[in-house]
Amino acid sequence: DQQVKQNSPSLSVQEGRISILNCDYTNSMFDYFLWYKKYPAEGPTFLISISSIKDKNEDGRFTVFLNKSAKHLSLHIVPSQPGDSAVYFCAAKVVRVGNEKLTFGTGTRLTIIP
Amino acid sequence: DVKVTQSSRYLVKRTGEKVFLECVQDMDHENMFWYRQDPGLGLRLIYFSYDVKMKEKGDIPEGYSVSREKKERFSLILESASTNQTSMYLCASSLEFGEAFFGQGTRLTVV
């Protein structure tokens, strides 16, 4: 039962353009969402997060949008740069004491074309 | 900077061996996690721990056990390694309600 889904295994975008990565979830109890970036042979690194009380969070070139009614979030990268080529995972959790379990999606491989 | 260190980058073990994967974090985080990453399956949680000597099963605990005797150290144990446990293993730590920080990963091959 995949509670967090990334339906696009891969995405190619021209350098300088916008990259949009999508994520859907099925568990309506999730109230905190995160995006991680992973290079080959390295561990994932945290990028940006959003709480369910917001619908947008921005950090530099990265913006995450949350649509709770559609159970959908997206990560926008503008402008895309070659160093953005990596696998991106979205993750979700239910925020409550003693529960730090993150549920991850299957990942989207982003390739930025110079 | 948070540092999560996994003892090995690459390991090759034989079927039936007992395997220990070690993870140390230096930021006094309460929570520690073990995930495995497989192509097309993303990151799946094996076990996590929210305090010393405390552990909780994740989504795929079968064939694994864990040990947390000290706050900074979380060990994953494969009691009897099998070929279907060939994977990338990732350790992470976090504060309560904070984002998780990951180690560099251990690529385990069971032959």
Side-chain angles (χ1 to χ4, degrees):
Chain A
D1 176 28
Q2 192 75 31
Q3 296 187 67
V4 178
K5 300 176 186 177
Q6 294 175 258
N7 291 316
S8 298
S10 62
L11 175 68
S12 294
V13 173
Q14 207 81 33
E15 182 178 359
R17 301 284 192 120
I18 182 171
S19 295
I20 300 176
L21 296 100
N22 293 303
C23 180
D24 297 293
Y25 61 96
T26 57
N27 186 347
S28 57
M29 299 294 290
F30 287 144
D31 52 7
Y32 193 67
F33 304 89
L34 306 90
W35 283 94
Y36 282 82
K37 174 180 178 179
K38 186 181 185 299
Y39 293 119
E42 292 184 16
T45 54
F46 169 73
L47 260 183
I48 191 169
S49 61
I50 188 166
S51 164
S52 60
I53 63 172
K54 293 185 168 184
D55 53 19
K56 176 182 173 182
N57 189 26
E58 200 169 346
D59 183 3
R61 296 187 298 114
F62 302 92
T63 303
V64 56
F65 295 91
L66 175 63
N67 182 332
K68 288 188 291 291
S69 60
K71 295 192 181 71
H72 177 83
L73 64 154
S74 60
L75 174 68
H76 293 211
I77 306 173
V78 182
S80 300
Q81 298 174 355
D84 296 329
S85 294
V87 177
Y88 290 78
F89 292 98
C90 69
K93 71 175 178 180
V94 178
V95 177
R96 66 169 186 266
V97 174
N99 180 55
E100 296 296 328
K101 177 183 170 181
L102 274 176
T103 301
F104 282 83
T106 52
T108 296
R109 180 177 302 279
L110 175 65
T111 303
I112 305 302
I113 304 161
Chain B
D1 264 0
V2 176
K3 191 144 187 193
V4 180
T5 304
Q6 295 182 228
S7 53
S8 305
R9 292 294 297 267
Y10 301 94
L11 271 181
V12 180
K13 296 292 181 181
R14 295 196 180 278
T15 302
E17 272 193 82
K18 191 168 186 176
V19 181
F20 294 85
L21 302 183
E22 307 285 347
C23 176
V24 177
Q25 51 97 0
D26 65 359
M27 284 302 291
D28 205 35
H29 285 173
E30 296 95 352
N31 305 302
M32 296 190 75
F33 311 84
W34 276 105
Y35 287 87
R36 62 178 280 179
Q37 182 198 358
D38 300 288
L41 296 176
L43 276 70
R44 294 179 293 164
L45 182 64
I46 304 170
Y47 268 96
F48 68 101
S49 168
Y50 52 89
D51 202 351
V52 175
K53 296 193 187 297
M54 306 300 289
K55 61 185 179 185
E56 293 279 345
K57 291 181 180 179
D59 299 317
I60 50 164
E62 297 78 18
Y64 303 95
S65 62
V66 290
S67 171
R68 194 164 180 203
E69 296 296 320
K70 294 184 177 182
K71 190 174 186 179
E72 67 271 19
R73 188 179 295 270
F74 192 35
S75 303
L76 179 70
I77 304 150
L78 287 66
E79 297 290 343
S80 177
S82 64
T83 54
N84 63 11
Q85 293 178 309
T86 291
S87 187
M88 168 71 88
Y89 289 88
L90 293 159
C91 175
S93 71
S94 74
L95 288 168
E96 192 173 26
F97 306 132
E99 69 267 19
F101 294 86
F102 283 83
Q104 77 277 25
T106 297
R107 171 74 63 187
L108 173 68
T109 302
V110 182
V111 297

